[in-house]
Amino acid sequence: MTKKEAPFDRGNLMKMRDMVYACTRCGYCREKYSSDMTKTPAFRVCPVREHSGGFEHHCARGKLLIAQGLLEGRVGYSQELVELFYSEPDCRLCTWVCNTMPLIDPPQVWRAIRQDLVEAGLGPPEPIRKIDDRVRKSHNTFGAKTSRSKWAEGLDLPLRSELLYFAGCYSSYSQTETARATIAVLRHAGENPAFLGDSEWCCGVSQFHDGSILLAKQMAEHNIEMIISSGAKTVVTGCAECYKSLKLEYPALVGHLPFEVLHTSEIFAGMLAEERICFDVEPTEKKLTYHDPCSLGRYLNVFEPPRSIISSIPGVELLEMQRHHDYAWCCGYGADMVNSVQPEVASDIAAGRMAEAKEAGAEAVVTACPRCVRALSKAGRGMKVYDLTVLVAMSMGLLGMKNRGNSNDVWF
Ligand code: SF4
Ligand code: SF4
């Protein structure tokens, strides 16, 4: 029996059966209308459908119909089907607009299908398989061979403290300025943050997402053990994806964790309220808009801390894009799936988001995840993109203003 003829085990999808059949076909996951259509225009919901020719099979309604076909044995697998379920940022906007909420959470169905595909040896597709290989061999998503702790050279960071900074792959290797700015802000507020040094591994976000659960578990168990042995009571990270892994995925895998997990926006907003940090430097761009990372907003309800920080910066006017808070549009780079399988679709999604920022009248975009910074910076349109932590450090006078924004040290 060839690989293509192997039976497609639907065990994980079977557990999502109730969700799959709960879809009423209302179509809200294609276009969302307000109750008063004269006041708020309809907006397109699914970024992948929007930037893949508008075909039904890309949005939740279409994919749930395919899932029904898979469950009933009416649909077989094909290369197209595999790519469809991996061209997925799992942005969760469809969950938010779904009229059967909270019964249907479509990304859970996509994840179950990807797990089935991995178990059957049919997934993930080659570009994502390469990410898994890099994580397996180098414990970082880029396959970088250099020391993970290089970004901290000269900072003399301890390896044990009650507060631990989990940098993540992007801030360790690519946007190292964000990692260094985080330490500068925390120290300014009187904290003594530790880090895991070379013992920090990738959080496993792509593997949780792509269905390679055994590898994800390996990453999670290692990081949990290292964090516990560091004596940390609180772990803080500036990456929305690491935050989701540590806060949602790890406890789901191993149960209660003996430490608290915070995003930098939460800890900085708290320090601001307690007047442990303050802003006295105006940024060059005054009209700023905030892009909600899906993992931070729709998955973990962190909407206000970044906004309260940005609004407190002197001279800044915070403008909202048409789709914001729980309705925010994805950057296209969730867990590096779409940008690996269909890079042109991911680029179009990010470009659409930057166009929306421009329409809102913003001079620069602020976001709170290095993947979003990367996606939106590449989509460019001449507009600067700031990581929230870099903006905070700048506004505290800890970093110079010149040439900041799109602060991407190295692009892999
Ligand atoms: S999770 Fe996002 S990209 Fe995926 S089907 Fe739902 S709205 Fe579309
Ligand atoms: S919004 Fe929910 S119920 Fe309506 S078509 Fe989409 S998934 Fe189905």
Side-chain angles (χ1 to χ4, degrees), residues 22-29 60-61 64 94 97-100 104 106:
C23 175
T24 61
R25 311 259 179 275
C26 68
Y28 284 5
C29 53
R61 182 168 71 173
L64 286 171
C94 48
V97 299
C98 180
N99 66 347
T100 58
I104 304 182

Side-chain angles (χ1 to χ4, degrees), residues 46-48 58 60 63 88-94 107 110:
C46 178
V48 174
H58 286 289
K63 280 199 283 240
E88 246 305 335
D90 284 3
C91 77
R92 220 176 176 215
L93 186 45
C94 48
W110 321 152

Side-chain angles (χ1 to χ4, degrees), residues 208-371:
F208 280 116
H209 193 103
D210 74 25
S212 304
I213 298 303
L214 290 179
L215 183 55
K217 198 162 179 263
Q218 204 185 323
M219 297 296 119
E221 285 172 348
H222 169 86
N223 284 326
I224 292 168
E225 192 188 329
M226 291 298 120
I227 292 168
I228 291 172
S229 58
S230 78
K233 292 206 169 76
T234 304
V235 179
V236 63
T237 181
C239 173
E241 301 279 36
C242 292
Y243 181 64
K244 178 162 154 268
S245 294
L246 290 159
K247 190 130 183 162
L248 275 186
E249 311 282 10
Y250 288 11
L253 208 58
V254 302
H256 174 73
L257 297 175
F259 50 82
E260 182 190 21
V261 181
L262 293 175
H263 186 262
T264 41
S265 61
E266 295 175 294
I267 199 165
F268 293 162
M271 288 171 168
L272 194 59
E274 293 163 5
E275 299 183 353
R276 292 170 65 196
I277 59 174
C278 64
F279 303 138
D280 41 28
V281 182
E282 289 191 13
T284 312
E285 299 84 7
K286 306 284 186 289
K287 293 183 177 188
L288 302 179
T289 191
Y290 175 67
H291 166 78
D292 293 273
C294 306
S295 295
L296 198 57
R298 275 188 291 273
Y299 279 90
L300 283 149
N301 282 309
V302 180
F303 294 111
E304 296 313 325
R307 289 179 167 81
S308 72
I309 292 169
I310 298 166
S311 306
S312 303
I313 298 172
V316 164
E317 184 185 356
L318 176 62
L319 302 164
E320 294 291 1
M321 290 184 253
Q322 189 200 357
R323 292 167 292 197
H324 55 88
H325 286 81
D326 37 3
Y327 289 146
W329 194 245
C330 179
C331 77
Y333 271 48
D336 284 336
M337 296 292 111
V338 189
N339 49 313
S340 299
V341 183
Q342 290 190 290
E344 65 294 344
V345 173
S347 301
D348 281 357
I349 293 172
R353 190 60 170 155
M354 289 303 275
E356 206 174 329
K358 215 160 216 176
E359 277 161 27
E363 294 164 351
V365 176
V366 186
T367 188
C369 178
R371 276 185 169 83

Side-chain angles (χ1 to χ4, degrees), residues 100-128:
T100 58
M101 172 86 181
L103 198 56
I104 304 182
D105 185 12
Q108 285 191 45
V109 177
W110 321 152
R111 281 179 68 146
I113 290 174
R114 291 191 294 262
Q115 250 177 281
D116 283 341
L117 287 167
V118 167
E119 285 169 17
L122 300 168
E126 191 54 25
I128 298 173

